Structures are given as C-alpha cells and as structure tokens.
Amino acid sequence: MASADVLETVASMRLAEYRDAAAVKEVPTRNGFGEGLVEAGKRNRNVLAICADLVESTRMEAFKRALPAQYIEIGVAEQMLVAMAAGLASVGKIPFIASYAMFNPGRSWEQVRTTMALNETNVKIAGAHAGVSVGPDGATHQAIEDIALMRVIPQMTVVVPCDAIQTKRATLAVAERFGPAYLRFAREKSAVVTTEATPFQIGKAQIFRDGGDVAIVACGILVYNALVAADELAEEDGIACTVVNNHTIKPMDEPAILAAARRCGTVVTVEEHQIHAGMGSRVAEILAQHYPVPIEFVGVRDRFGQSGDPVELIEHYGMGTAAIKEAVRAALKRK
Amino acid sequence: MESLSPARVTALRERANLVRQGIVRALVSAGSGHSAGSLDMADVFAAFYGEILRHDPARPDWEDRDRLLLSCGHIAPVRYSAMAYAGYFPVEELLTLRKFGTRLQGHPERVRLPAVETTSGPLGEGLAQGVGMALGAKLDEKEWRVYVVTSDAEHQCGLHWEAMMTAGKFELDNLTCVVDRNFIQIDGSTEDVMPLEPLANKYRSFNWEVFECNGNDVAEFVAVIEKAKAVRGKPQVVIAHTVPGKGVSYMEGDYTWHGKPPNREQADEALRQLEAERERIVAGNG
C-alpha cells in the first residue's frame, strides 16, 4: 500500500485531467519555451535570445518582437552561436541560444564543452526539435543522442520537461540558476499533463502516479505515454505502476530514483533518445551502485530515425504505450 | 597619440626580452610546451601589458578593463610571462607552468586564472568569444576594447570565419584581432599545409580594416594599434609578421620548434643569448 505521504505527494502535483483523452490539451513543448523566454527577458534585461536562423520554429519570435534590443540573429553558425554566447556571458549577459538539438549541441559539442562548461559561463542552450517525433524531416534532423552528449559534461545542467507548461517553468528556472544549462524540447504538439499549479524545481523528480509493482521513470513528452500505459496496465492486468517525471537528467534526483526502486523493486525507463547513455542509463548507474534492481529500457535501440508521422515513428521505434506496457510486464517478471 | 619616447621604447624592448627569458625558464621547467610561437609573440604581449591595455594587475576583475584574449592557447607561456612581468603574479610562479595544482595550466583556464579572460586551446574559438564580449560592450555602451590574439594556422578553422563574418555584421569597431603571422604550424609551412594567402584580402572582403606590421618591433606594433583604435564602424585586424622562435638563434625560423621545449643545455644557451641581447638593449646598441 502507498503511504499517506506518497499519496499526498502525488496529489500535490495538481496534474491536469490527462485521463480524459477528449479533454487533454495538446501544445508543443517549444511553445512553453517561447513564453518562458519572453518572461525571463522582461524580468532580467541581461537575458538575451540568440538565434541561428530558426527564429520561428524555435519559438524565439515572440521574444524578438517584444524585446528587440535583447535579440541577436547570427545566421546558420551553431559553433559561433555557442562561442559568442560564452563571450557575452563572460561580460554579464545571460544568453539563451536556440537551434535544433541536432545542430546545437549536436554540431557544437566541443564549443559547449570548452567555452561554456570548462569556462563556467552562464549560457543556456535551447535544443529544439529533439527526438524522432520531429517527423517528416527525417534522421538528419532528429536528435536522439543529445542527452548523452550533454550529460557527460561537468558543470552542465540538463533538463527535459514533460510538457509545454513545464517547459515554460524550466526556461524561467534555468534563467535564474547560474551556470551552463541544456534545455531539450520537441516539435510536435504533445499532451499537457501539468497545470500552472504543478510545482517545478530543477533537480527534483516528480511522482505523478503511485503504485507498488513497477516504477516507470520517464522524461519529456513520453511522460504522457507512461501515464496512459500505467492506467491501462492497472485496468487490464491489475499492475500498479509508479510514474516518475524525471525531468532533470543532470543533476539527477538520486533519492527519488532510489525511493521508486525501493518501493517497486523494478524499474522501466522511458525516453525519446537512444537507450545508450541517455536518461535511463543514468538511472541504471545510480541503481547499479546503490540498489540494484531489474531495469527495462524504453527508447531508441541503437538506430537512426527516418521520415514519417510523429506518432507512427514513436510507435515504430518502440516508445508507444504498447511498448511501455510490454516493458513493464517484462520488468515485473524479472522481480 | 604621441609616438613613444626612445626611453619608453627601450623599456618595452627590455620588457619583451625579459618576457622571452621567462618563457624559456618556464618551458624548460615544464619539460613540454610550445617554444616558437611563444617567443615570437613576446614583443606583442610586452606591448599589450606594458603600453596598450587599460588594465590593473591588482584588480584583474575591474569591470572597465580592456579584454585581451589569447585564442591560440598553446602559446600560453608568452601570456603568463608577460603577465608576471606586468605584476599579476610573481615571476617565479612561471616555473610552475604545466605542473600539478598550478594556475598556469598547459592551456589557459579562466576558472583557475580569471585574468586570462577565457579558456582556450582548441583552435579557432577565441575570435568568436571576443565578438561576444565586444557585442556585450556595445549593448551596455561600455568604452573598453577587446583584443584577440590568434595564430595564423587557426585561420584554417571554420569557426574563425563565422566570427569574422559576425564581427563585420555588427560593425564591432571596439574589436581588434592580432594575427601572429609566422607562417609555421605543426606539420610545416602554413602555405604548404593549407594556404592562407591572400590573408589581408580575405579580411577586407569580410568588412574588416586591415593593418600589417613587424610584430617583432614593439614601437611599430604600438603605433599600428593606435591606428586601429581610431577606425570607426569596422573591426580591425593587425597582421603581425613575426619570426618563429625570435630571439633564440637556433630556433628562429625552424617550424620543428613549434611544439617542443628546449632541454636544459639548450635553455642555458638561449638564456645566454637573450641576456646578451638585453645588455645591448639597455646600453642602446641593440
């Protein structure tokens, strides 16, 4: 049975009515970034938005209109984007730099490591269009290695919010937290599962659902799939799942991961990323060291993406609700 | 500006000589490091710290200081030596170069030694960061200037050209790039490895104002920087022609000294030559 504490924690999340499919609102997470950035720029005039020829699709457009003096366009030059931002940060600015995750930090990794992280500058990367859910653009534009690239860099904060509202909160939070940060979001509309009343703190994982059989630890837009899978498992198989929204990949909330593993005795990780070296791998590192339990990994299995409809691609690469349910059943058998 | 007095020129030349001696001592103590480029930029760095920069060694975090970035971080010994002789830290600290626990890392790190302004070593990144700083100064309407010292070979990096294009776009007249044009790199002559000429025309076509000078003549370098500072509406580049290994006869012009230090005997010979040169400078015969 769940302790009263856990139930209270779940209730305190003040989630939206995600169980009623007809009532679920769908908004791209990038919209939350755009809104959060304008607010961050109004709160602090040292916040700059710098874009590499993707102002509309990264949702920097509203910032450009509202705060033109704090907006800089540098064209298709992602290494420049990072290094110039590091220079601006070292003279007191708080630059948010936006491109597709595939190009920044995909193309600019060494500049991120040297000029942002080793140099301890206050630059924030907004990685748009992450994951295979980018859709028709195909594999060249689908970043599914970016979490791995960013989480191995010392000093870096890595946040993958679960919906548009949380992306806005995360944008404001990284603006106020000194240091290099990577914020990852997606292109397509996705379910809004949090509300304005849902708390958010970098480094603090959130229990969105309680259950004692299997802990599903998810991040990004797949948190919704994890919640749906958990409800269906309860109804169809009587399996009770905890669902953790593990939005901060670095620094990861180790106590929350350990608590979920202790409560359920087995874990399924869910991310729109290669299963190698991503969020789930970090969970595995923590559990292998402190509390080994069986783990199943849901994510892209060492393959590249391709063109297609976002939902079709999520299904094809094994990240749909059916795949999550299958992983949960497999995890349960291994307990 | 008035041209430098003969006494001032002599003082700067002596400073450059001492900076060279500091480089040799630091390199032989470290047992590794880059000799040729460090030695050839001694005059430029002596001029920066001794004459050009608005700075205060006692207040390296002074907000209104000029920013001097070393993009080609591998010639850190020249910067460290020039900083030591300018009073940023004791000259003896140069002997900690590249040793465990030192502030004088093999390639400069801002977190360990903030006065170096930025972390550098991976080539082609300095100008891009300098563009960011210069743009920051413009946004805040600050008077301080940004100087970026680059090697010639790092012009083979794509990012440097992105930075050149961006500086042109934003008309960063508070930014001066200094190119150490010594024509050498690890694998040989720059013109054999990947030709850079006509370098001046390349800068002009990116909307930069171009100056050239003898980078081993402190007075000429100070004078050309004064001209660069007077330019409005454009970033400026000073292509400083230098002799790799300058000041040490057996290193001068030899690209194989790019990435290695002298051994003890070679260092003793280098210091003998440099000290003799210093005596000539002070006596007015050099």
Side-chain angles (χ1 to χ4, degrees), chain A residues 4 15 49 92 131 137 157 206-207 210 213 239 245 253 263 288 300 323 328 333:
Chain A
L15 297 182
D137 278 348
T157 296
Q206 299 171 308
I207 304 172
D210 181 65
D213 293 329
I239 298 172
N245 173 28
D253 187 348
R263 166 125 173 82
V300 181
V328 167
K333 280 195 196 128

PDB file of all heavy atoms in Angstrom, chain A residues 4 15 49 92 131 137 157 206-207 210 213 239 245 253 263 288 300 323 328 333:
ATOM      1  N   ALA A   4       0.662   7.387   3.184  1.00  0.00           N
ATOM      2  CA  ALA A   4      -0.113   8.627   3.062  1.00  0.00           C
ATOM      3  C   ALA A   4       0.764   9.727   2.453  1.00  0.00           C
ATOM      4  O   ALA A   4       0.306  10.541   1.655  1.00  0.00           O
ATOM      5  CB  ALA A   4      -0.626   9.054   4.427  1.00  0.00           C
ATOM      6  N   LEU A  15      -1.990  17.686 -11.209  1.00  0.00           N
ATOM      7  CA  LEU A  15      -1.922  17.419 -12.648  1.00  0.00           C
ATOM      8  C   LEU A  15      -3.229  17.763 -13.351  1.00  0.00           C
ATOM      9  O   LEU A  15      -4.291  17.863 -12.718  1.00  0.00           O
ATOM     10  CB  LEU A  15      -1.577  15.941 -12.890  1.00  0.00           C
ATOM     11  CG  LEU A  15      -0.208  15.487 -12.376  1.00  0.00           C
ATOM     12  CD1 LEU A  15       0.017  14.020 -12.717  1.00  0.00           C
ATOM     13  CD2 LEU A  15       0.916  16.352 -12.938  1.00  0.00           C
ATOM     14  N   ALA A  49      18.350  36.613 -26.251  1.00  0.00           N
ATOM     15  CA  ALA A  49      17.983  35.486 -27.103  1.00  0.00           C
ATOM     16  C   ALA A  49      18.825  35.570 -28.367  1.00  0.00           C
ATOM     17  O   ALA A  49      18.856  36.601 -29.026  1.00  0.00           O
ATOM     18  CB  ALA A  49      16.504  35.546 -27.454  1.00  0.00           C
ATOM     19  N   GLY A  92      28.646  39.366 -18.404  1.00  0.00           N
ATOM     20  CA  GLY A  92      27.459  39.602 -17.585  1.00  0.00           C
ATOM     21  C   GLY A  92      26.109  39.307 -18.200  1.00  0.00           C
ATOM     22  O   GLY A  92      25.076  39.482 -17.557  1.00  0.00           O
ATOM     23  N   GLY A 131      14.356  14.387 -30.717  1.00  0.00           N
ATOM     24  CA  GLY A 131      13.598  13.140 -30.797  1.00  0.00           C
ATOM     25  C   GLY A 131      13.122  12.799 -32.199  1.00  0.00           C
ATOM     26  O   GLY A 131      13.144  13.636 -33.105  1.00  0.00           O
ATOM     27  N   ASP A 137      10.962  15.437 -41.389  1.00  0.00           N
ATOM     28  CA  ASP A 137      12.314  15.903 -41.740  1.00  0.00           C
ATOM     29  C   ASP A 137      13.324  14.756 -41.792  1.00  0.00           C
ATOM     30  O   ASP A 137      14.352  14.859 -42.454  1.00  0.00           O
ATOM     31  CB  ASP A 137      12.799  16.963 -40.747  1.00  0.00           C
ATOM     32  CG  ASP A 137      12.249  18.342 -41.076  1.00  0.00           C
ATOM     33  OD1 ASP A 137      11.688  18.505 -42.178  1.00  0.00           O
ATOM     34  OD2 ASP A 137      12.364  19.237 -40.222  1.00  0.00           O
ATOM     35  N   THR A 157      23.861  21.546 -16.526  1.00  0.00           N
ATOM     36  CA  THR A 157      22.528  21.166 -16.062  1.00  0.00           C
ATOM     37  C   THR A 157      21.742  20.712 -17.289  1.00  0.00           C
ATOM     38  O   THR A 157      21.807  21.369 -18.332  1.00  0.00           O
ATOM     39  CB  THR A 157      21.829  22.376 -15.406  1.00  0.00           C
ATOM     40  OG1 THR A 157      22.558  22.753 -14.243  1.00  0.00           O
ATOM     41  CG2 THR A 157      20.392  22.050 -15.021  1.00  0.00           C
ATOM     42  N   GLN A 206       9.553  14.196  -9.987  1.00  0.00           N
ATOM     43  CA  GLN A 206       8.177  14.317  -9.516  1.00  0.00           C
ATOM     44  C   GLN A 206       7.443  12.980  -9.634  1.00  0.00           C
ATOM     45  O   GLN A 206       7.457  12.357 -10.698  1.00  0.00           O
ATOM     46  CB  GLN A 206       7.447  15.367 -10.364  1.00  0.00           C
ATOM     47  CG  GLN A 206       8.090  16.750 -10.257  1.00  0.00           C
ATOM     48  CD  GLN A 206       7.515  17.726 -11.262  1.00  0.00           C
ATOM     49  OE1 GLN A 206       7.457  17.433 -12.465  1.00  0.00           O
ATOM     50  NE2 GLN A 206       7.088  18.874 -10.789  1.00  0.00           N
ATOM     51  N   ILE A 207       6.766  12.592  -8.537  1.00  0.00           N
ATOM     52  CA  ILE A 207       5.951  11.368  -8.603  1.00  0.00           C
ATOM     53  C   ILE A 207       4.575  11.769  -9.109  1.00  0.00           C
ATOM     54  O   ILE A 207       3.816  12.444  -8.423  1.00  0.00           O
ATOM     55  CB  ILE A 207       5.845  10.694  -7.226  1.00  0.00           C
ATOM     56  CG1 ILE A 207       7.251  10.407  -6.693  1.00  0.00           C
ATOM     57  CG2 ILE A 207       5.039   9.398  -7.327  1.00  0.00           C
ATOM     58  CD1 ILE A 207       7.267   9.915  -5.268  1.00  0.00           C
ATOM     59  N   ASP A 210       1.241   6.797  -8.281  1.00  0.00           N
ATOM     60  CA  ASP A 210       1.816   5.842  -7.329  1.00  0.00           C
ATOM     61  C   ASP A 210       1.307   4.430  -7.590  1.00  0.00           C
ATOM     62  O   ASP A 210       0.150   4.226  -7.976  1.00  0.00           O
ATOM     63  CB  ASP A 210       1.470   6.239  -5.893  1.00  0.00           C
ATOM     64  CG  ASP A 210       2.085   5.256  -4.910  1.00  0.00           C
ATOM     65  OD1 ASP A 210       3.321   5.191  -4.851  1.00  0.00           O
ATOM     66  OD2 ASP A 210       1.325   4.502  -4.255  1.00  0.00           O
ATOM     67  N   ASP A 213       4.049  -2.004  -7.930  1.00  0.00           N
ATOM     68  CA  ASP A 213       4.584  -3.139  -8.701  1.00  0.00           C
ATOM     69  C   ASP A 213       5.809  -2.771  -9.540  1.00  0.00           C
ATOM     70  O   ASP A 213       6.816  -3.463  -9.508  1.00  0.00           O
ATOM     71  CB  ASP A 213       3.489  -3.702  -9.615  1.00  0.00           C
ATOM     72  CG  ASP A 213       2.359  -4.344  -8.813  1.00  0.00           C
ATOM     73  OD1 ASP A 213       2.654  -4.881  -7.712  1.00  0.00           O
ATOM     74  OD2 ASP A 213       1.201  -4.280  -9.260  1.00  0.00           O
ATOM     75  N   ILE A 239      -1.859  -4.333 -12.721  1.00  0.00           N
ATOM     76  CA  ILE A 239      -0.490  -3.979 -12.341  1.00  0.00           C
ATOM     77  C   ILE A 239      -0.462  -2.515 -11.895  1.00  0.00           C
ATOM     78  O   ILE A 239      -0.961  -1.633 -12.611  1.00  0.00           O
ATOM     79  CB  ILE A 239       0.485  -4.175 -13.531  1.00  0.00           C
ATOM     80  CG1 ILE A 239       0.501  -5.658 -13.958  1.00  0.00           C
ATOM     81  CG2 ILE A 239       1.894  -3.712 -13.166  1.00  0.00           C
ATOM     82  CD1 ILE A 239       1.278  -5.909 -15.252  1.00  0.00           C
ATOM     83  N   ASN A 245       8.190  11.582 -13.144  1.00  0.00           N
ATOM     84  CA  ASN A 245       8.614  12.527 -14.177  1.00  0.00           C
ATOM     85  C   ASN A 245      10.034  12.965 -13.833  1.00  0.00           C
ATOM     86  O   ASN A 245      10.250  13.842 -12.996  1.00  0.00           O
ATOM     87  CB  ASN A 245       7.667  13.732 -14.218  1.00  0.00           C
ATOM     88  CG  ASN A 245       8.173  14.813 -15.174  1.00  0.00           C
ATOM     89  OD1 ASN A 245       8.876  14.513 -16.142  1.00  0.00           O
ATOM     90  ND2 ASN A 245       7.836  16.061 -14.904  1.00  0.00           N
ATOM     91  N   ASP A 253      17.959  13.420  -9.562  1.00  0.00           N
ATOM     92  CA  ASP A 253      17.441  13.316  -8.196  1.00  0.00           C
ATOM     93  C   ASP A 253      17.636  11.875  -7.696  1.00  0.00           C
ATOM     94  O   ASP A 253      16.726  11.044  -7.760  1.00  0.00           O
ATOM     95  CB  ASP A 253      15.954  13.703  -8.208  1.00  0.00           C
ATOM     96  CG  ASP A 253      15.369  13.796  -6.806  1.00  0.00           C
ATOM     97  OD1 ASP A 253      16.027  13.355  -5.837  1.00  0.00           O
ATOM     98  OD2 ASP A 253      14.236  14.304  -6.698  1.00  0.00           O
ATOM     99  N   ARG A 263      10.463   1.121  -3.596  1.00  0.00           N
ATOM    100  CA  ARG A 263       9.017   0.906  -3.476  1.00  0.00           C
ATOM    101  C   ARG A 263       8.568  -0.234  -4.378  1.00  0.00           C
ATOM    102  O   ARG A 263       7.740  -1.051  -4.007  1.00  0.00           O
ATOM    103  CB  ARG A 263       8.291   2.196  -3.859  1.00  0.00           C
ATOM    104  CG  ARG A 263       6.792   2.058  -4.106  1.00  0.00           C
ATOM    105  CD  ARG A 263       5.968   2.988  -3.260  1.00  0.00           C
ATOM    106  NE  ARG A 263       4.542   2.970  -3.602  1.00  0.00           N
ATOM    107  CZ  ARG A 263       3.696   2.049  -3.156  1.00  0.00           C
ATOM    108  NH1 ARG A 263       4.107   1.063  -2.392  1.00  0.00           N
ATOM    109  NH2 ARG A 263       2.414   2.117  -3.488  1.00  0.00           N
ATOM    110  N   ALA A 288      22.618   0.614 -10.091  1.00  0.00           N
ATOM    111  CA  ALA A 288      23.680  -0.402 -10.054  1.00  0.00           C
ATOM    112  C   ALA A 288      24.597  -0.156  -8.859  1.00  0.00           C
ATOM    113  O   ALA A 288      25.057  -1.090  -8.212  1.00  0.00           O
ATOM    114  CB  ALA A 288      24.484  -0.388 -11.354  1.00  0.00           C
ATOM    115  N   VAL A 300      15.101   4.549 -28.160  1.00  0.00           N
ATOM    116  CA  VAL A 300      15.575   4.107 -29.468  1.00  0.00           C
ATOM    117  C   VAL A 300      16.750   3.152 -29.254  1.00  0.00           C
ATOM    118  O   VAL A 300      17.669   3.444 -28.494  1.00  0.00           O
ATOM    119  CB  VAL A 300      15.995   5.318 -30.339  1.00  0.00           C
ATOM    120  CG1 VAL A 300      16.456   4.835 -31.711  1.00  0.00           C
ATOM    121  CG2 VAL A 300      14.833   6.296 -30.479  1.00  0.00           C
ATOM    122  N   ALA A 323       4.488  -0.466 -26.206  1.00  0.00           N
ATOM    123  CA  ALA A 323       5.861  -0.870 -25.901  1.00  0.00           C
ATOM    124  C   ALA A 323       6.172  -0.659 -24.421  1.00  0.00           C
ATOM    125  O   ALA A 323       6.885  -1.454 -23.798  1.00  0.00           O
ATOM    126  CB  ALA A 323       6.837  -0.071 -26.772  1.00  0.00           C
ATOM    127  N   VAL A 328       6.944  -3.013 -18.999  1.00  0.00           N
ATOM    128  CA  VAL A 328       6.516  -3.134 -17.595  1.00  0.00           C
ATOM    129  C   VAL A 328       6.263  -4.608 -17.245  1.00  0.00           C
ATOM    130  O   VAL A 328       6.706  -5.103 -16.199  1.00  0.00           O
ATOM    131  CB  VAL A 328       5.243  -2.291 -17.328  1.00  0.00           C
ATOM    132  CG1 VAL A 328       4.610  -2.662 -15.988  1.00  0.00           C
ATOM    133  CG2 VAL A 328       5.575  -0.799 -17.362  1.00  0.00           C
ATOM    134  N   LYS A 333       8.204  -9.554 -14.442  1.00  0.00           N
ATOM    135  CA  LYS A 333       8.616 -10.970 -14.459  1.00  0.00           C
ATOM    136  C   LYS A 333      10.008 -11.159 -13.877  1.00  0.00           C
ATOM    137  O   LYS A 333      10.341 -12.238 -13.381  1.00  0.00           O
ATOM    138  CB  LYS A 333       8.619 -11.484 -15.908  1.00  0.00           C
ATOM    139  CG  LYS A 333       7.242 -11.841 -16.414  1.00  0.00           C
ATOM    140  CD  LYS A 333       7.326 -12.681 -17.695  1.00  0.00           C
ATOM    141  CE  LYS A 333       5.971 -12.695 -18.392  1.00  0.00           C
ATOM    142  NZ  LYS A 333       6.054 -12.320 -19.801  1.00  0.00           N
TER     143      LYS A 333
END
